[in-house]
């Protein structure tokens, strides 16, 4: 969706008057495509994001504009800035607000801010902002409170999902005005390290003690914008109440660490079989660990202390001695060995709640996990041009609908406005609204009515398509555009050798390694996995010979993938020809 540059520039200029006209033109160039994206935060708030060159520049929450870290890295002095210690940043990324004990007060004093003012956060030794939020209280009140309590209600941080929406670049190294020119010796460094540890402990205590009510009082209803999905808190009965009480005493990071370990042990003990090794680490997380997550909770490795799957598995290997991880292909790690006799693994009790859909079964001797294809649904988004047709159904611009809903709303609109042709009920009379929405300019004087099917096809043809994917036991995923089909192609290797290439298996929840093994058994030919250049966590399966017939049979009959989601079946060798 495109946006008016003039209006956006005026809004930005009003919100951030320190930006010059040249800086505004540099931020919002006239000839570059600027897009606006509607997203929703974890508590349901609608957030408008303005995107240039695939990087989010500003976001609008409750009719107020805020810059992202990508803008603040270019204009670090755009907002009043509070400094904190690097360990505190980890807490902010984990979803915490900036507590006053974590603020490093410079010799010149705190910046002069009022309650609700937009402020940036930097860490000691680097002037590049890493978070932003609104002041919970004024700077005068911060002093009067003895630098205790909540300082900033954090809305956005480096490493959150809004940052990940962009190019995922890191903060630049910018001079820190307070630290510049100061020489710090080793003794002072030791003191600073101890001070950092003390500050982090105080921040955690403050965060826990202040509670929900304090946030509501000081933040004036501004809720934290965390674009990562948050763990839903559910009231549970019986023994689970004790777990909740223990969780209340832990930080969000510690809770996520414990959940990761629990799902890891559960997956090893009940999901993974020796015959499946080596197993891609990304597949292990997506297929096995996610299915072991208790209902009402959600795994998010970025909210753990590990931040990355590779670091978590490194700890499982080096400290817990549970698995051995190896890079079998450049840049692609796999679990190659599991210590099934490990005391920690043997003593782990599998929770009663199990995912029936992912139960391990033997199938044709291939030792695969029972696979259920995802449910894929095409959705349609209401564009501005067609909004008048959907207003009676209270569906505004950007609303996503199923095809049946679109047909139902259009049918209701036609009946309500008495547009069914009296002489032939297969036709619909075109009124001015339908004319503006569905006809080309050249048709305005010529087309007086449309068949029902033509009416529906024109309506959906002018709506933006997206698709919804639902895997068994997982939350639905909605993405714009068309779903990528599983692509099967044949390539030449050497003078007269053919190989079959298969990609996009991951889109449909299929493990490339498992598919490659199944094909090996079926056609008795060697197969290899290749990392696809420029595509993170996507693997290409290569198998000797033109095996399109066998690949098609495996996908269509065994995995039950609908034919319309498989591309390249027409390249199979004709019968009687050499493969």
């Amino acid at each position: 969706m495109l946006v008016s540059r003039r209006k956006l520039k005026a809004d930005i200029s009003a919100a951030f008057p320190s930006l010059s006209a040249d800086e505004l033109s540099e931020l919002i160039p006239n000839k570059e495509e600027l897009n606006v994206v509607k997203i929703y935060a974890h508590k349901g708030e609608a957030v408008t994001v303005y995107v240039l060159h695939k990087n989010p520049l500003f976001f609008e929450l409750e009719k107020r504009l805020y810059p992202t870290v990508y803008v603040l890295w270019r204009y670090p002095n755009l907002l009043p800035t509070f400094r904190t210690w690097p360990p505190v940043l980890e807490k902010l990324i984990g979803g915490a607000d900036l507590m006053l004990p974590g603020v490093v007060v410079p010799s010149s004093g705190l910046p002069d801010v009022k309650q609700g003012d937009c402020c940036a956060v930097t860490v000691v030794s680097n002037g590049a902002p890493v978070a932003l939020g609104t002041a919970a209280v004024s700077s005068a009140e911060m002093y009067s409170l003895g630098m205790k309590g909540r300082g900033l209600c954090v809305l956005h941080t480096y490493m959150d999902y809004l940052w990940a929406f962009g190019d995922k670049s890191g903060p630049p190294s910018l001079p820190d005005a307070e630290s510049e020119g100061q020489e710090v010796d080793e003794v002072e460094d030791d003191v600073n390290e101890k001070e950092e540890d003390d500050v982090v402990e105080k921040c955690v205590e403050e965060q826990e003690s202040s509670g929900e009510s304090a946030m509501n009082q000081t933040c004036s209803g501004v809720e934290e914008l965390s674009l990562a999905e948050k763990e839903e808190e559910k009231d549970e009965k019986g023994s689970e109440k004790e777990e909740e009480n223990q969780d209340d005493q832990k930080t969000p990071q510690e809770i996520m660490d414990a959940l990761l370990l629990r799902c890891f042990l559960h997956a090893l003990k009940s999901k993974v079989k020796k015959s499946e090794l080596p197993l891609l680490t990304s597949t292990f997380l997506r297929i096995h660990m996610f299915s072991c997550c208790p209902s009402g909770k959600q795994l998010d490795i970025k909210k753990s202390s590990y931040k990355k799957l590779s670091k978590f598995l490194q700890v499982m290997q080096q400290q817990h001695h549970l698995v051995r991880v190896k890079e079998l292909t450049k840049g692609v790690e796999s679990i190659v060995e599991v210590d099934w006799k490990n005391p920690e693994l043997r003593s782990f009790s599998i929770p009663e709640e199990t995912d029936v859909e992912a139960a391990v079964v033997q199938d044709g001797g291939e030792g695969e996990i029972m696979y259920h294809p995802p449910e894929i649904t095409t959705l349609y988004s209401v564009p501005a041009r067609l909004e008048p047709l959907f207003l009676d159904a209270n569906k505004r611009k950007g609303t996503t609908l199923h095809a049946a809903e679109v047909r139902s709303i259009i049918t209701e609109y036609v009946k309500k406005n008495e547009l069914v042709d009296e002489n032939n009920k297969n036709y619909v009379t075109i009124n001015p609204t339908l004319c503006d929405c569905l006809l080309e300019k050249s048709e305005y004087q010529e087309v007086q009515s449309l068949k029902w099917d033509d009416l529906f096809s024109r309506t959906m043809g002018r709506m933006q398509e997206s698709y919804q994917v639902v895997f068994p036991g997982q939350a639905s995923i909605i993405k714009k555009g068309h779903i990528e089909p599983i692509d099967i192609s044949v390539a030449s290797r050497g003078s007269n050798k053919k190989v079959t290439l298969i990609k996009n298996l991951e889109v449909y929840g299929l493990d490339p390694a498992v598919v490659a093994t199944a094909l090996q058994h079926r056609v008795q030919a060697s197969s290899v996995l290749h990392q696809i250049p420029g595509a993170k966590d996507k693997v290409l399966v290569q198998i000797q010979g033109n095996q399109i017939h066998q690949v098609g049979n495996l996908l269509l009959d065994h995995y039950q993938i609908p034919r319309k989601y498989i591309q390249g079946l027409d390249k199979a060798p004709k019968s009687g020809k050499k493969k």
Side-chain angles (χ1 to χ4, degrees):
M1 196 191 317
L2 298 178
V3 64
S4 167
R5 282 179 174 75
R6 184 178 296 177
K7 183 180 184 307
L8 181 60
K9 282 185 176 180
D11 291 344
I12 293 171
S13 181
F16 310 102
S18 62
L19 282 173
S20 66
D22 289 341
E23 288 172 332
L24 263 178
S25 297
E26 187 181 310
L27 260 180
I28 314 293
N30 290 327
K31 294 185 179 180
E32 301 290 344
E33 184 176 305
L34 183 71
N35 292 304
V36 59
V37 179
K38 273 281 179 70
I39 56 178
Y40 293 90
H42 72 283
K43 290 185 179 177
E45 311 99 316
V47 184
T48 304
V49 183
Y50 298 94
V51 183
L52 180 74
H53 296 150
K54 298 185 179 179
N55 269 352
L57 298 182
F58 294 89
F59 64 93
E60 188 176 326
L61 177 65
E62 295 180 353
K63 298 183 180 180
R64 182 174 177 182
L65 272 177
Y66 299 91
T68 67
V69 288
Y70 292 108
V71 169
L72 293 176
W73 291 340
R74 291 168 65 181
Y75 305 100
N77 298 319
L78 184 63
L79 299 175
T81 302
F82 289 82
R83 294 165 74 233
T84 189
W85 299 104
V88 176
L89 174 60
E90 294 179 15
K91 304 295 179 184
L92 303 185
I93 292 172
D97 289 326
L98 179 63
M99 310 306 288
L100 289 174
V103 174
V104 179
V105 181
S107 54
S108 56
L110 293 173
D112 186 17
V113 298
K114 297 176 182 176
Q115 183 179 349
D117 282 358
C118 189
C119 306
V121 180
T122 64
V123 294
V124 172
S125 76
N126 190 359
V130 288
L132 69 95
T134 55
V137 292
S138 67
S139 47
E141 288 176 287
M142 292 180 189
Y143 285 123
S144 65
L145 291 169
M147 296 304 288
K148 291 182 180 179
R150 198 179 306 274
L152 292 184
C153 299
V154 176
L155 297 174
H156 161 51
T157 70
Y158 159 64
M159 293 287 284
D160 68 6
Y161 272 47
L162 182 57
W163 165 85
F165 194 79
D167 60 20
K168 300 183 182 179
S169 53
S173 294
L174 300 178
D176 180 10
E178 187 66 19
S179 303
E180 205 172 20
Q182 294 181 0
E183 293 183 3
V184 185
D185 56 25
E186 292 181 4
V187 175
E188 287 176 325
D189 281 344
D190 292 339
V191 171
N192 284 344
E193 285 178 13
K194 290 176 183 177
E195 188 177 343
E196 286 181 29
D197 293 339
D198 292 342
V199 164
V200 174
E201 286 180 15
K202 286 181 182 177
C203 286
V204 173
E205 289 172 7
E206 290 274 355
Q207 187 78 28
E208 291 176 349
S209 62
S210 56
E212 286 285 330
S213 59
M215 174 183 271
N216 292 337
Q217 290 172 4
T218 58
C219 294
S220 304
V222 179
E223 296 174 334
E224 176 193 349
L225 172 63
S226 170
L227 299 178
E229 291 182 350
K230 291 226 171 181
E231 197 175 273
E232 291 180 15
E233 294 180 4
K234 290 188 174 184
D235 293 330
E236 297 176 336
K237 296 180 180 180
S239 62
E240 291 183 1
K241 286 186 178 179
E242 294 180 11
E243 282 185 28
E244 287 183 1
N245 293 334
Q246 291 172 0
D247 284 352
D248 288 342
Q249 298 169 7
K250 294 179 181 178
T251 64
Q253 260 190 3
E254 289 172 337
I255 294 170
M256 188 56 67
D257 286 355
L259 183 60
L260 272 173
L261 180 59
R262 169 182 167 166
C263 295
F264 178 78
L265 293 171
H266 187 171
L268 285 184
K269 194 155 187 176
S270 68
K271 308 290 182 183
V272 179
K273 303 196 77 176
K274 193 173 182 178
S275 59
E276 294 173 11
L277 302 177
L279 178 65
L280 287 172
T281 56
S282 57
T283 300
F284 175 71
L285 175 67
R286 188 178 66 251
I287 303 297
H288 300 309
M289 286 184 64
F290 280 165
S291 67
C292 293
C293 188
S295 62
K297 296 188 178 182
Q298 209 149 17
L299 278 182
D300 189 344
I301 204 153
K302 288 183 180 178
K303 290 186 179 180
S304 70
S305 62
Y306 306 104
K307 305 301 178 191
K308 292 182 179 179
L309 177 61
S310 56
K311 189 175 178 184
F312 170 71
L313 291 174
Q314 188 179 12
V315 172
M316 295 300 104
Q317 175 175 303
Q318 296 176 357
Q319 296 180 19
H320 294 253
H321 309 292
L322 285 160
V323 293
R324 189 164 67 87
V325 178
K326 192 175 179 181
E327 195 175 279
L328 297 179
T329 309
K330 189 175 181 182
V332 182
E333 289 188 335
S334 298
I335 296 174
V336 296
E337 190 179 319
V338 177
D339 183 4
W340 307 105
K341 295 181 180 179
N342 182 286
E344 188 175 5
L345 182 60
R346 293 183 69 175
S347 62
F348 178 78
S349 298
I350 297 174
E352 288 184 10
E353 181 184 357
T354 56
D355 187 356
V356 178
E357 295 292 339
V360 177
V361 296
Q362 292 293 327
D363 188 51
E366 290 169 0
E368 297 176 17
I369 301 300
M370 175 66 79
Y371 171 80
H372 291 267
E375 183 182 324
I376 302 165
T377 311
T378 301
L379 302 175
Y380 299 88
S381 181
V382 178
R385 181 178 174 181
L386 301 190
E387 192 176 31
L389 298 178
F390 294 86
L391 286 178
D392 288 343
N394 201 26
K395 304 297 181 185
R396 300 283 177 176
K397 182 177 68 175
T399 304
T400 303
L401 303 168
H402 290 77
E405 292 177 291
V406 175
R407 285 174 171 268
S408 174
I409 291 170
I410 296 301
T411 302
E412 189 61 34
Y413 174 85
V414 170
K415 290 180 178 179
K416 184 177 180 181
N417 289 276
E418 299 179 347
L419 298 176
V420 179
D421 193 315
E422 293 181 0
N423 299 320
N424 188 343
K425 294 189 177 181
N426 291 326
Y427 284 83
V428 173
T429 303
I430 300 298
N431 69 354
T433 303
L434 286 174
C435 179
D436 291 341
C437 293
L438 301 181
L439 298 188
E440 302 295 337
K441 287 185 179 180
S442 60
E443 298 176 317
Y444 283 0
Q445 302 301 322
E446 299 174 5
V447 179
Q448 304 299 322
S449 61
L450 290 172
K451 281 187 174 182
W452 279 101
D453 285 346
D454 193 11
L455 181 75
F456 293 138
S457 62
R458 283 177 181 246
T459 302
M460 288 188 272
R462 283 164 171 74
M463 299 178 79
Q464 184 179 23
E465 278 194 35
S466 56
Y467 63 92
Q468 174 181 273
V469 181
V470 182
F471 289 99
Q474 296 186 33
S476 62
I477 301 166
I478 297 178
K479 293 187 178 181
K480 287 185 179 179
H482 301 273
I483 189 168
E484 290 181 287
I486 296 175
D487 184 70
I488 311 169
S489 59
V490 177
S492 297
R493 295 287 186 268
S495 58
N496 196 29
K497 290 184 178 179
K498 302 283 187 184
V499 292
T500 302
L501 308 174
I502 313 153
K503 62 181 180 181
N504 297 333
L505 292 166
E506 300 92 342
V507 176
Y508 298 82
L510 288 168
D511 183 351
V514 172
V515 173
T517 303
L519 283 170
Q520 272 184 302
H521 291 164
R522 286 181 176 227
V523 303
Q524 297 299 302
S526 63
S527 66
V528 290
L529 301 177
H530 295 292
Q531 185 77 14
I532 299 177
K536 190 179 179 183
D537 293 334
K538 279 201 174 184
V539 177
L540 178 81
V541 176
Q542 175 184 308
I543 189 161
Q544 281 186 346
N546 187 334
Q547 309 293 354
I548 290 183
H549 269 312
Q550 293 290 350
V551 175
N553 291 338
L554 182 71
L555 295 175
L556 292 167
D557 301 334
H558 182 69
Y559 290 119
Q560 301 293 307
I561 302 291
R563 184 178 288 271
K564 64 181 178 179
Y565 298 123
I566 304 173
Q567 177 178 288
L569 293 176
D570 55 323
K571 297 169 188 172
K574 305 297 180 184
S575 58
K577 290 188 178 182
K578 186 179 178 180
K579 290 186 181 181

